[in-house]
Amino acid sequence: MSINGKHALVTGGGTGIGLAIARALAEQGAQVTITGRRQVVLDEVAGGGLHGIAMDVTDEAQVRDVIDAAVDARGPLQIIVANAGIAEGRKLHKTDTALWRKIMATNLDGVFWTVREGMRSMLGTDWGRVLAVSSIAGVRGLPGGGAYSASKHGVIGMMRSLAEDFLGAPYTFNSICPGYVDTDIITRNVDAIKDRAGISADEAKQIMVQSNRHNRLIAPEEVAAAALWLCQPGSESVNGQEIMIAGGQVVGR
Ligand code: NDP
């Protein structure tokens, strides 16, 4: 058995980690629906098994309608990768309610709606994989990022609970937890940190590089390799788990 011909959904699949995962799945023959808010970004990378359609994960009705349209076009979803997310850092006691809600709407509501709506078609099939992109901030506190950390802890709780709900069924539910990965999120973080701390962009980047204990940023393709394994036959004994891809951060968990 392989994932050749299977229909996969990757939210936030037009850039960064999501795009690397989508491409890895497509290389194995999957038909991959990729989503994000910017159709123009999706159009740039579409082709070769990637099908781009705009979807804002903070809009429940849109998530349902877009997933229904994708299922009509390419059949039931058998791989769901809930990857879309935002990272805006602020100490929790200085986080206003608008920022809290924005982060929760994308990182928690968005994962919930994506998974719930995507699973409606998956449950009519005899094989499925659900994978959430959490973060090392989902397994430990993140200095200066309490709302983000809370949202990423929540994602892990969703996957663990689903794994319990479907024990013995032919589906698995896992999370991957990257450290600092070389994507647009890092570029935006560098800008935010340098402005806040009054340091140079290079110094701000070094903070993240050194947090990954192997002293470099992680490539999106490294995260995609782990995601691909979890989304393929052969990984069924791994269920309700979190895989750290973080250069040695969070050792001994
Ligand atoms: P990117 O900014 O490249 O990816 C985020 C993606 O999410 C974009 O494609 C974006 O597309 C999409 N997105 C954001 N908000 C929404 C929304 N409301 N509706 C639909 N799509 C949305 O960064 P990464 O690839 O790094 O991030 C991917 C995931 O990895 C995130 O969940 C992030 O938290 C997680 N992560 C990243 C780490 C890193 O160091 N890079 C570390 C740990 C976890 P668009 O803007 O077009 O909507």
Side-chain angles (χ1 to χ4, degrees), residues 12-18 36-38 55-58 83-86 106 133-135 148 152 178-181 183-186 188:
T15 65
I17 293 170
R37 288 164 301 182
R38 294 165 296 166
M55 178 177 96
D56 185 337
V57 295
T58 68
N83 161 77
I86 54 170
T106 309
V133 179
S134 176
S135 164
Y148 181 75
K152 292 298 187 180
Y180 289 105
V181 183
T183 70
D184 291 349
I185 276 188
I186 292 294
R188 288 191 294 269

Side-chain angles (χ1 to χ4, degrees), residues 24-234:
L25 293 168
E27 273 168 24
Q28 299 303 313
Q31 292 300 311
V32 189
T33 298
I34 54 171
T35 65
R37 288 164 301 182
R38 294 165 296 166
Q39 184 70 50
V40 61
V41 169
L42 301 169
D43 288 345
E44 272 170 24
V45 298
L50 304 191
H51 311 270
I53 177 164
M55 178 177 96
D56 185 337
V57 295
T58 68
D59 182 333
E60 181 177 12
Q62 207 180 105
V63 172
R64 186 182 56 239
D65 292 348
V66 167
I67 287 180
D68 281 351
V71 168
D72 283 348
R74 283 177 282 284
L77 281 169
Q78 292 192 278
I79 300 169
I80 300 167
V81 182
N83 161 77
I86 54 170
E88 284 187 41
R90 199 82 86 249
K91 290 190 174 172
L92 194 69
H93 69 289
K94 292 187 174 165
T95 298
D96 61 32
T97 303
L99 178 59
W100 170 269
R101 294 238 182 280
K102 184 178 163 194
I103 291 172
M104 296 303 156
T106 309
N107 295 4
L108 267 186
D109 295 358
V111 171
F112 166 50
W113 290 327
T114 298
V115 170
R116 187 189 67 190
E117 297 305 317
M119 279 183 65
R120 285 190 290 123
S121 63
M122 179 181 285
L123 294 180
T125 76
D126 61 0
W127 187 91
R129 294 280 186 269
V130 179
L131 184 66
V133 179
S134 176
S135 164
I136 45 137
V139 296
R140 64 156 212 221
L142 179 68
Y148 181 75
S149 183
S151 73
K152 292 298 187 180
H153 275 75
V155 160
I156 288 173
M158 274 192 252
M159 293 304 111
R160 288 181 179 175
S161 299
L162 282 161
E164 294 277 4
D165 286 342
F166 286 92
L167 280 181
Y171 317 112
T172 64
F173 306 87
N174 292 295
S175 302
I176 50 175
C177 299
Y180 289 105
V181 183
D182 199 359
T183 70
D184 291 349
I185 276 188
I186 292 294
T187 314
R188 288 191 294 269
N189 265 356
V190 164
D191 286 342
I193 290 173
K194 92 175 162 36
D195 293 345
R196 225 175 22 240
I199 55 179
S200 71
D202 270 354
E203 286 167 326
K205 191 170 176 184
Q206 271 312 306
I207 293 173
M208 289 179 228
V209 165
Q210 283 164 10
S211 298
N212 290 338
R213 299 247 198 98
H214 58 350
N215 217 28
R216 64 173 175 81
L217 293 180
I218 296 159
E221 291 72 20
E222 294 177 80
V223 182
L228 177 63
W229 179 70
L230 286 167
C231 290
Q232 290 196 107

